[in-house]
Amino acid sequence: MVEEAIKRTQQKILVLTYTINNLNQIRRYFIEQAGVVPSNVTVQSWYQFLLQDCSRPYQPVLYDKERIETICFVEGRSCPYVPKTNVQRYYFAEGKRIYTDKISDFACRCNEESGGLVVKRLEQIYHCIFIDEVQDLAGYDFDFLELLFESRMEIVVVGDSRQATYFTNCSPKNKKYKGQNITALLTDWQKRGLCKITERNDCYRCNQEICNVADGLYPDMPKTQSKNRDVTGHDGVYVLSSCDLMEYVKRYRPTILRYNRKTKAEGLRALNFGISKGQSFERILIFPNGVIKDFLKTKNHDKLKDKTKALLYVAITRARYSVAFVYDDECCLNEIQKVCLET
């Protein structure tokens, strides 16, 4: 996506993603490849885009009492019993902070009430919009995305339904298309001529051994082919005895991941699985929680909840060369080796 944006020197391009980590990663990719984010490229978060480009410019057609000041982040559903006709209370906290689960709906309504001016304005600014991690979208985001696909702009979305770990909101709207089910929505849009789906199963980060273990979590999906041909002498996926932990860390200096902060990491500095999303590391050391230990023991991925499975997939696929699980029991996965620290 970054490479394509760099090529298009004569076009005004907008690049969007949901999480701050992904936003920073995209900016780093631009700097690594071009030395700077090109002047014709704007990199924004999904919420920045909805607020600055889609809601504020035409908000008076729907709400002219206060300028929308900022976003009001909500973990669940905001004001579930307030009727939609009460615009001030339905969409806003204190009348000026717009709820995260309703900002896409607000943008859609502004577009409708203004006779399509929200999208027409975007058409005048941008030739192309790239949206990364599209599987993170939810609720009314899909309604606004449909408006973008119907526009004169070129819209390119990229994502991996197996990495559906965090979502932009908890709105019940379009719930059946959330997360791993987004493929069904995009397939429907393709049938209507709104988009064209291109599957890409190549991986430029992980070696084939890592890809194979990650693919095992989703056996019904297409297999991944690695383009990473590097050989380092310690490659693939391993289980590591806790008694060898400190020696392994000293020798290989892996980035340490844990399911969440409740997962003990033996006092070592660790990142939660979700925080690692969008990032790349040479080597990963994973402290598994109880359900992941059961998976290593039984090879039964069906017992993993969708979010746990997605987070584990994310964690495994952060590594270029090696992944090691701190695990003292027998492992049933044939693709996983035991670490041998003998010199």
Side-chain angles (χ1 to χ4, degrees):
M1 186 175 65
V2 169
E3 290 174 355
E4 186 63 26
I6 291 172
K7 292 177 186 176
R8 304 185 181 198
T9 58
Q10 301 304 310
Q11 293 185 342
K12 184 65 175 177
I13 296 171
L14 176 64
V15 181
L16 300 172
T17 192
Y18 170 39
T19 68
I20 297 300
N21 282 335
N22 286 343
L23 198 66
N24 292 335
Q25 187 70 42
I26 288 171
R27 290 188 176 118
R28 281 197 293 270
Y29 285 151
F30 273 112
I31 292 170
E32 287 171 4
Q33 297 189 37
V36 69
V37 178
S39 59
N40 63 307
V41 176
T42 300
V43 181
Q44 276 187 329
S45 73
W46 179 247
Y47 283 134
Q48 282 179 302
F49 167 65
L50 290 176
L51 178 62
Q52 297 175 13
D53 281 344
C54 309
S55 297
R56 278 179 180 158
Y58 291 98
Q59 74 162 80
V61 301
L62 195 60
Y63 180 70
D64 60 0
K65 293 185 178 181
E66 295 263 8
R67 178 180 184 270
I68 304 176
E69 186 177 279
T70 187
I71 302 287
C72 180
F73 289 89
V74 290
E75 293 185 1
R77 294 177 59 187
S78 62
C79 302
Y81 303 111
V82 175
K84 208 169 185 177
T85 52
N86 189 336
V87 173
Q88 181 170 348
R89 290 190 57 210
Y90 182 80
Y91 289 103
F92 301 95
E94 296 95 35
K96 55 188 176 182
R97 295 190 298 130
I98 191 165
Y99 295 120
T100 49
D101 60 333
K102 292 170 179 172
I103 186 170
S104 291
D105 180 24
F106 186 86
C108 287
R109 287 189 64 187
C110 284
N111 188 68
E112 181 179 0
E113 295 294 329
S114 66
L117 291 181
V118 172
V119 172
K120 289 177 182 177
R121 177 178 178 275
L122 293 173
E123 290 174 334
Q124 293 172 352
I125 298 172
Y126 302 110
H127 295 93
C128 177
I129 297 179
F130 289 106
I131 303 175
D132 189 27
E133 305 286 6
V134 70
Q135 78 279 348
D136 292 345
L137 302 186
Y140 284 94
D141 292 343
F142 295 133
D143 288 14
F144 197 80
L145 182 59
E146 185 173 10
L147 292 177
L148 295 179
F149 274 127
E150 292 172 342
S151 73
R152 293 187 290 107
M153 295 175 288
E154 180 183 1
I155 308 298
V156 180
V157 302
V158 296
D160 183 350
S161 61
R162 294 167 293 191
Q163 297 190 45
T165 58
Y166 292 119
F167 302 105
T168 52
N169 63 80
C170 295
S171 171
K173 177 72 172 179
N174 294 315
K175 186 176 180 180
K176 64 180 179 179
Y177 297 128
K178 191 175 181 179
Q180 296 177 28
N181 299 318
I182 191 175
T183 305
L185 177 61
L186 293 171
T187 300
D188 179 61
W189 285 347
Q190 181 175 242
K191 291 177 181 177
R192 292 169 51 195
L194 292 182
C195 67
K196 178 182 178 182
I197 299 174
T198 302
E199 288 191 4
R200 294 189 175 182
N201 300 314
D202 294 335
C203 178
Y204 291 86
R205 177 191 294 133
C206 311
N207 56 36
Q208 191 61 56
E209 292 87 349
I210 296 173
C211 289
N212 291 344
V213 173
D215 285 348
L217 293 168
Y218 298 92
D220 296 331
M221 298 189 72
K223 302 303 179 186
T224 307
Q225 297 298 315
S226 173
K227 298 298 183 181
N228 177 359
R229 307 292 188 231
D230 295 342
V231 177
T232 70
H234 182 64
D235 306 291
V237 184
Y238 300 84
V239 288
L240 168 70
S241 173
S242 57
C243 63
D244 292 327
L245 172 61
M246 294 307 175
E247 176 61 27
Y248 185 88
V249 170
K250 180 180 178 181
R251 182 177 300 187
Y252 293 110
R253 300 184 180 278
T255 298
I256 300 171
L257 302 182
R258 63 187 180 187
Y259 182 78
N260 59 27
R261 64 181 182 178
K262 295 181 180 179
T263 309
K264 294 181 179 179
E266 301 301 327
L268 297 170
R269 185 177 180 182
L271 294 175
N272 292 349
F273 286 178
I275 296 298
S276 71
K277 185 178 177 182
Q279 302 187 63
S280 299
F281 307 102
E282 292 189 357
R283 304 188 189 281
I284 292 295
L285 177 65
I286 293 176
F287 282 93
N289 64 357
V291 292
I292 295 175
K293 288 179 180 178
D294 289 342
F295 165 67
L296 294 173
K297 186 174 184 178
T298 66
K299 199 178 179 178
N300 186 356
H301 57 76
D302 292 332
K303 291 186 178 181
L304 296 174
K305 293 182 178 180
D306 287 347
K307 184 175 180 179
T308 301
K309 188 185 296 188
L311 284 168
L312 179 57
Y313 179 88
V314 166
I316 292 171
T317 55
R318 296 311 92 200
R320 295 187 179 95
Y321 307 128
S322 67
V323 176
F325 290 90
V326 182
Y327 179 68
D328 289 315
D329 210 336
E330 288 296 318
C331 179
C332 289
L333 277 73
N334 296 329
E335 303 91 341
I336 299 183
Q337 315 165 57
K338 285 188 176 181
V339 169
C340 179
L341 294 178
E342 295 181 4
T343 56

